[in-house]
Amino acid sequence: MVWKMRKTKHSLLCCSLLLLSFTALSNSQATPGINDINPANGPTAGGTIITIGGMNFGTGSGSVQPRVAVGGAPCPQVVWVSSTSVLCETPEGVGSHKPVVVEVNGVSSPMDAESVFEYDPPSVIAIEPGHGSAAGGTMVTIVGNNFGATNNNPSVTIGGRPCQSVVWLSDTKLQCVSPPGIGIGDVRVFVLDLSSPENFGTIFEFDAPQITKLVPDHGPSTGGFTLTVQGLNFGTVDSHPQIKVGGHNCKSTGWKSNEEVYCVVPQGTGLAKQVQVEVLGQPSKPQGAKAVFSYDGPMVTGLDPANGPTIGGTHVTILGENFGYEADKSIGAKLDNIPCSSVSWLSMSSALCIAPPGTGAEKQIQVELDGLKSPACPGTAEGKVDDAKCGALFRYDKPLIADVKPDHGPTSGGYFIRVSGDNYGTTPSSLKLLVGKAACEKTNWISNTVADCLVPPGVGITHVVAEADHQASDPRGTGDLAQGDLFTYDAPLLLRVLPSTGDPGGGQLVTLQGRNFGTEKSEVQVLVGDSPGRVVHVADQQVLMVMPAGEGDRKVTVRVGDQQTGGAGGGAAGAAGGGAAKAPQYDFQGPKVTAVTPDHGPTQGGQTVTVEGKDLGPSGRNLKVEIGGIECIDSRWVSEHQVACTTPPGSGGSKTVTVIVDGEYAASSPPAYSYSYSAPVVRSVVPATGSSDGNTRLLVQGLNFGLTDSHPVAYVGPTRCTATVWTDDAALTCITPAWSRGPVVAPVTVRVDGQTSEATPGGVFQFGDGKAPVITALAWSRAPTDGGFTLTLFGSKFEDRDVSAAVAKYGGGQSPCPHTTWLSQSKVKCVAPAGVGAGLPVTLSSKDFPVASTFGSVSFEYDPPVVTALSASSGAVGGGMRVTITGYGFGVWDSQPTGRIGGEACGRSEWTSDSSLACTTPAGQGHQDLVSVLVGGQESKQTDATPTFAYTGLAITAVRPDFGPTSGGTEVTMLSVDFGDAFRAEGPLRVSLGPSPHGAACEGARWVSSSAVTCKTPAGAGARQDVTVQTEGTRESVGESYQGYGLFSYQRPVVTGVEPREANSAGGLPITVVGRDFGVTDENPRVWVGSTPCSRTLYVSDQKLICVTPPGGGGGLLVRAELNGQSSLGLDVFSYRAPEVRYVEPASGPVTGSTVVTIVGKHFGRSAASDPQGLIGGVPCTRTKWVSDSQAECTAPRGKDLFARHHVQLRVQGVESGESADAQFTYVEAQGG
């Protein structure tokens, strides 16, 4: 039984001591020994009564009372029972293997491993709180037993990790700060070498992971990027967290701190994917939006192709991002909100859409995946889609018109035409047809490629336009479909003019009868000759107009849109209706001029001129004759057909002669019968020498400089004088330009009113000190091409005896004389080199003096070539035969002579010697074609002895007519002497124009007779087209081919109008050039303004071109079109606006120059490329800077004539502004000067 000593100890001990006292005193003392302890363990608070069995525990008397210690601590109560038994109340203590020692009378029992007492280990009953942060730091109270009655520095672990700051409170209570940890862990208490047992009934739970933020919270569906997860309770470095996005494990994870972990995101799609962090089996709980990750929606960046036909079916590869991964088959796509016919996933960045049927442009493709759509395209401020910022736009192909049948019809409209093409859409409502700008009165959609149009009223040559969903067909097709969209309202046809005569003053109301005039007054223009009449009213078959003033019989032309009566630009109906009949005319009653005799005379006037014509009035009428707008000194009536005039003073060429009767009836001479004043002549120049820097004032004397100031311009050599001042008809002043390069001796010439004087020996100026040599004559001036003859140079100041002479080479460069001999200061002779050409300058060079050169009429000429024989007199019509042309004067090896047969250049010409030339014959068909040689710009003359060449074989000898319009349709007849009946018998004919075998086929070729075949020409352009007639042959015979070379020419282009008619001299302005025969397809035509080609020529149609004007100057310039080597006659209608200077700032500056003067005006050019040149007093500014079309800056040159007012002018592209009183500059003395 357990002895409850604590309850009865005082009574028991008292009785026991009394009972044993005698026995203890009676025994002698020996070493105590312990052999049993019961119980062997007890609580740390002590108080356990243990019975110690052993020996020699004494007698129990007072002197031998035993003492007991447990682990060195004395038992608070000891009771001797016998010499073999002692009772002990254990003291407080902790630990195991505590030795028990019994001491009797100073003798202690020995310590051994069996004589030990065990204090009970600590035990944990409860903890508070039962959870805490995984980062640790939670104050935890631990309730239990055997923690020690005193503080024995117990330790505590939670989940195996030691608590921090353990505080002992009592034997039953401890406190500690929880360590970092994860998951759950048992709580154990360690006191010395004892610990509480594992007890999962008292566990501490570390708080679960908590997510507070994701960075980033979205990303591409490809994954592979790092996601940072911020929050709490992510544990320690060895926690090995696991992270999932939308239930899928991250590719890899990592721990940064208790508040931050990261992962490499897996592939995925969709919004609001829950992110979960699991730490040692403990997952985070859903945290709402804080723990949600979204995969980016699909993004479309491009389409390939980005367009396709309206019927759909285009396989469009959609390029972009975030299209998901292969396992995700939920991808979809829509084109303009219409599902694609089929959608296939290709990769994370591409998908395939088969386009549905549709029409229009800017149709957006959107991809949809897992509930997300690719974003809509951004818009502009106007609400339109911004094409430049959107790669998701698909364009259905524009409508394309390939053919219109019929392609012409009356201007009244009201009939159907069938329009064939493509991309008309798949529904009737998708299409609208227009003729020109007018909508068809009715559009009948038939299919994606066919529709009918009820033609509206209209005029001119138009394009049929198809519109589908705001997309219109281009105004012309491309490739084989070029011009397939043209519809031509029948050309206007003028039948009669009523009345057909009237007053030359105009103003008469006239009715024009015909058809196809249309109904729009704004589209109709009537020209009487070149003068426009005023249109009052227009009906389809009648025009009411007011006649302009005019003279003589004038053709009446009605222009309607791009067409006009008389066939120019007309359509089929116009050609058929008009035929070759003479165009109606209007006769202005009054005088007419038919001839002027003589047609030239002196500038002083006073010459009697006879003007011939008709209706010049009876004797006694008030008669006046004008030349170039200036009234004759005297006008006399001779007869009704002749008047006489004494010419007034004047200058210039091609002056119109006008006869005016009674002050109101006028007749002007046609261009072929104009009057010209004599050209200027320079006789002397004083001084004859001057500074090479220019600014020498010359007195130029001669004839025909103008009896009034006609603004003559003088030149020294090719360079314009910096200023020219007219004095009178025989004198002017020139300020010389600076010498730049070339001979220092140059002719002085004068240009007056479009006429330029010839160079003369007396009109010579020498730059420098006047010591330069001058060549004034040659002997001989003409010689054979092989050289070797003596050429003598006459002149002055041939001071240097070491001289060399040279003759200019045709085409550039010089040929030095093999030997040059100085004879005197006025004579040098040389052995002329071999050469070719005429008008060649001769130069003389020396070591110490400038080069001297001939000029003007003093030049050298080689004999022209002469042909004497041909090695073969006949050959095949196809050419290619090598023949030898013999003669002399063919030049040297680099003269590049060209042989010709019948005017056609040899296919190849090879120089053999001065007397021999090899020629590969060109194709031809003549029987007596003359042979010639062209070398150095000189062609051999034709004489009775000139050899001829005859072409043999199946040849076409002629084509009648041999020309026709570029639109084709001309019925022509091919003639031959030997067609025979072969073509009629051997099957179908083929006639073609152009190089065989690739020529364009004629239509309707047919046999007429043994010498004639006819057909209608195809459309084309260019002169001298080859003609081929051939049969396909039969089983019994091979087809035959007849050739004719250069027998047919398409009409040269004709320019009838230009709009606008003027532009800045800097160029760059688009102008519209109208006319005909510009080609039915784009054959690279070229437009010229004056002598300069347009910067760019754009083909529009057979009747219209666009020219981007080149820089230039002047007025009344000819505008002409060039096509395939053919050039139109120029139309004298275009002018460059001259620059105008209004004022300058400042208006004065130092005579030393360098003042920056701002020039203000207009027409200075559209860019710095206009290269303006400022002038002050005729002297160029040292620097001119273009600022704008209305402003330039001039750095003033060094001046002279102090305090004189100098006009400031601006020259743009050679065109000079006039003088203005408000634009003058004054030189003043420099400060300190």
Side-chain angles (χ1 to χ4, degrees), residues 356-561:
T359 56
E362 296 183 352
K363 303 298 181 182
Q364 184 175 356
I365 285 186
Q366 284 188 292
V367 173
E368 185 171 353
L369 180 65
D370 207 2
L372 292 176
K373 290 183 179 180
S374 56
C377 290
T380 63
E382 295 77 20
K384 298 181 179 180
V385 174
D386 190 345
D387 296 358
K389 297 181 180 179
C390 186
L393 293 180
F394 182 84
R395 176 178 58 81
Y396 285 102
D397 291 341
K398 291 181 180 181
L400 173 66
I401 296 178
D403 187 44
V404 176
K405 288 190 180 303
D407 61 358
H408 68 90
T411 57
S412 57
Y415 44 91
F416 276 103
I417 58 175
R418 173 144 295 185
V419 183
S420 302
D422 201 359
N423 298 317
Y424 292 171
T426 55
T427 59
S429 61
S430 62
L431 184 67
K432 177 183 177 182
L433 292 177
L434 303 92
V435 180
K437 296 181 179 179
C440 294
E441 295 180 349
K442 185 177 182 181
T443 298
N444 290 338
W445 178 89
I446 298 174
S447 70
N448 185 58
T449 59
V450 178
D452 287 342
C453 159
L454 185 59
V455 178
V459 296
I461 302 171
T462 64
H463 291 274
V464 178
V465 178
E467 285 186 0
D469 198 1
H470 306 293
Q471 276 189 300
S473 58
D474 289 327
R476 57 184 294 266
T478 57
D480 295 337
L481 302 180
Q483 300 298 305
D485 61 351
L486 280 181
F487 178 82
T488 303
Y489 286 100
D490 289 343
L493 177 64
L494 179 60
L495 298 176
R496 58 185 62 86
V497 179
L498 300 174
S500 61
T501 62
D503 196 303
Q508 186 173 15
L509 194 63
V510 172
T511 300
L512 309 181
Q513 295 181 345
R515 58 176 178 265
N516 298 324
F517 297 149
T519 57
E520 289 293 328
K521 186 172 130 181
S522 61
E523 292 279 350
V524 177
Q525 181 185 14
V526 179
L527 295 177
V528 183
D530 293 326
S531 301
R534 180 167 64 87
V535 177
V536 177
H537 175 74
V538 174
D540 190 58
Q541 297 183 7
Q542 182 174 287
V543 173
L544 196 62
M545 54 91 63
V546 177
M547 276 289 166
E551 58 184 60
D553 291 331
R554 293 292 182 261
K555 176 183 176 182
V556 178
T557 303
V558 180
R559 289 182 178 173
V560 181

Side-chain angles (χ1 to χ4, degrees), residues 293-362:
F293 178 86
S294 294
Y295 286 99
D296 292 340
M299 173 77 70
V300 178
T301 59
L303 305 174
D304 184 20
N307 66 286
T310 57
I311 59 173
T314 302
H315 285 59
V316 181
T317 300
I318 308 173
L319 306 175
E321 303 170 358
N322 305 320
F323 290 175
Y325 44 91
E326 190 171 8
D328 194 340
K329 301 296 185 181
S330 62
I331 191 168
K334 292 183 178 181
L335 175 53
D336 197 32
N337 290 322
I338 300 174
C340 294
S341 302
S342 171
V343 181
S344 303
W345 181 90
L346 299 177
S347 71
M348 293 183 182
S349 59
S350 63
L352 180 66
C353 158
I354 298 180
T359 56
E362 296 183 352

Side-chain angles (χ1 to χ4, degrees), residues 677-991:
Y677 288 98
S678 299
V681 176
V682 175
R683 289 181 171 175
S684 67
V685 175
V686 179
T689 62
S691 171
S692 297
D693 296 329
N695 289 329
T696 300
R697 188 182 298 272
L698 300 183
L699 174 61
V700 182
Q701 295 179 312
L703 300 173
N704 303 326
F705 296 166
L707 295 181
T708 58
D709 189 354
S710 300
H711 302 289
V713 178
Y715 294 80
V716 180
T719 308
R720 179 174 175 163
C721 293
T722 57
T724 303
V725 180
W726 176 85
T727 302
D728 56 33
D729 186 57
L732 55 82
T733 301
C734 152
I735 305 299
T736 62
W739 176 79
S740 56
R741 59 187 179 85
V744 296
V745 178
V748 176
T749 55
V750 174
R751 181 176 177 82
V752 180
D753 203 0
Q755 295 176 301
T756 303
S757 63
E758 297 286 341
T760 62
V764 174
F765 178 80
Q766 184 174 155
F767 290 101
D769 55 9
K771 296 181 180 180
V774 179
I775 303 173
T776 57
L778 297 175
W780 300 93
S781 60
R782 177 173 171 175
T785 56
D786 55 0
F789 56 90
T790 298
L791 172 65
T792 303
L793 286 64
F794 297 93
S796 61
K797 301 176 183 175
F798 298 165
E799 302 287 349
D800 195 339
R801 300 191 178 200
D802 184 10
V803 294
S804 61
V807 178
K809 293 178 65 174
Y810 179 79
Q814 288 187 328
S815 296
C817 295
H819 301 286
T820 304
T821 304
W822 181 89
L823 299 175
S824 70
Q825 292 186 359
S826 61
K827 185 187 298 185
V828 169
K829 70 176 181 179
C830 82
V831 176
V836 294
L840 304 174
V842 178
T843 59
L844 185 66
S845 303
S846 59
K847 181 179 179 182
D848 298 323
F849 293 93
V851 175
S853 175
T854 61
F855 51 83
S857 59
V858 180
S859 62
F860 182 77
E861 177 181 353
Y862 286 99
D863 291 339
V866 175
V867 175
T868 59
L870 186 65
S871 62
S873 60
S874 64
V877 294
M881 178 180 179
R882 185 180 175 90
V883 297
T884 300
I885 304 174
T886 305
Y888 53 88
F890 296 169
V892 294
W893 66 272
D894 61 348
S895 299
Q896 298 181 336
T898 300
R900 292 172 175 260
I901 297 179
E904 290 292 325
C906 295
R908 183 179 182 186
S909 297
E910 299 176 48
W911 179 90
T912 306
S913 68
D914 183 65
S915 59
S916 177
L917 178 70
C919 158
T920 302
T921 61
Q925 59 276 329
H927 293 286
Q928 294 293 325
D929 286 342
L930 293 169
V931 178
S932 64
V933 170
L934 175 67
V935 62
Q938 298 173 295
E939 188 168 8
S940 58
K941 293 183 179 181
Q942 314 243 331
T943 67
D944 293 340
T946 301
T948 61
F949 185 83
Y951 286 97
T952 60
L954 301 177
I956 300 171
T957 57
V959 176
R960 295 289 183 268
D962 60 358
F963 67 94
T966 57
S967 57
T970 302
E971 186 162 329
V972 294
T973 301
M974 279 60 65
L975 303 177
S976 175
V977 295
D978 51 3
F979 280 160
D981 292 335
F983 283 3
R984 179 169 57 179
E986 293 185 0
L989 285 175
R990 185 182 189 277
V991 180

